[in-house]
Amino acid sequence: MEVILDRGSTVHVELDPAHGQFETLQNKLTQVPESDRIFVASEHEHRAVLPEDRTSVDSLLEIQADDTDEWTDRLFNIEAFAVLSDQSWTYRSVPHETHIREINTAGHDGLVEELHKTLEQLRGATVKPFDGS
């Protein structure tokens, strides 16, 4: 996510109120008016401006230990997550749906190469181009 966030200008996140940081993030981030929401039928969509709100976004995604509620929060209580740049969206995911992790490389020269370099250190992690099938 560091590579993606470095290229983004805003983050939109939809949080379930059960998320352990819901109240904190509700106070730190801007609630998105219904007319500006990007997630269909979202009720708790918030916007973070990058780099100003980077610490809050990092805190939302960070997992300190395996035996905490942070895994559950990240997997099930983040309903949707998107990183946008000035040009368009760069990344979107629905964490509890493993097949919804998408990267838009349009306007981001070198992004795939940078991601490959970063991910080569992680076993089983890769970026696979969408071939339309």
Side-chain angles (χ1 to χ4, degrees):
M1 283 311 304
E2 287 182 34
V3 172
I4 299 291
L5 290 172
D6 286 346
R7 292 174 179 256
S9 57
T10 60
V11 170
H12 280 238
V13 61
E14 181 180 0
L15 288 177
D16 185 306
H19 192 285
Q21 295 185 47
F22 181 78
E23 288 182 24
T24 300
L25 290 172
Q26 192 174 31
N27 291 328
K28 288 185 177 184
L29 304 180
T30 303
Q31 181 149 5
V32 178
E34 188 172 351
S35 61
D36 294 335
R37 292 179 185 161
I38 63 171
F39 303 125
V40 176
S42 66
E43 294 181 29
H44 301 286
E45 186 170 332
H46 291 81
R47 177 184 303 119
V49 176
L50 298 174
E52 294 88 347
D53 297 321
R54 179 73 181 256
T55 303
S56 295
V57 174
D58 287 344
S59 174
L60 175 68
L61 299 175
E62 192 173 64
I63 297 173
Q64 296 289 330
D66 292 342
D67 59 345
T68 67
D69 291 336
E70 292 168 340
W71 277 109
T72 301
D73 273 345
R74 183 161 178 190
L75 187 59
F76 296 107
N77 295 331
I78 296 176
E79 298 288 336
F81 184 87
V83 178
L84 293 86
S85 66
D86 295 333
Q87 299 91 2
S88 66
W89 67 275
T90 305
Y91 176 84
R92 78 174 195 103
S93 76
V94 176
H96 63 274
E97 299 288 349
T98 57
H99 64 283
I100 303 178
R101 308 241 191 303
E102 299 176 327
I103 300 166
N104 177 12
T105 61
H108 298 285
D109 293 336
L111 176 57
V112 172
E113 293 79 12
E114 189 175 354
L115 288 168
H116 278 294
K117 185 176 180 175
T118 300
L119 293 175
E120 72 185 9
Q121 303 167 36
L122 302 172
R123 184 175 179 207
T126 190
V127 175
K128 181 182 181 297
F130 178 71
D131 62 10
S133 58

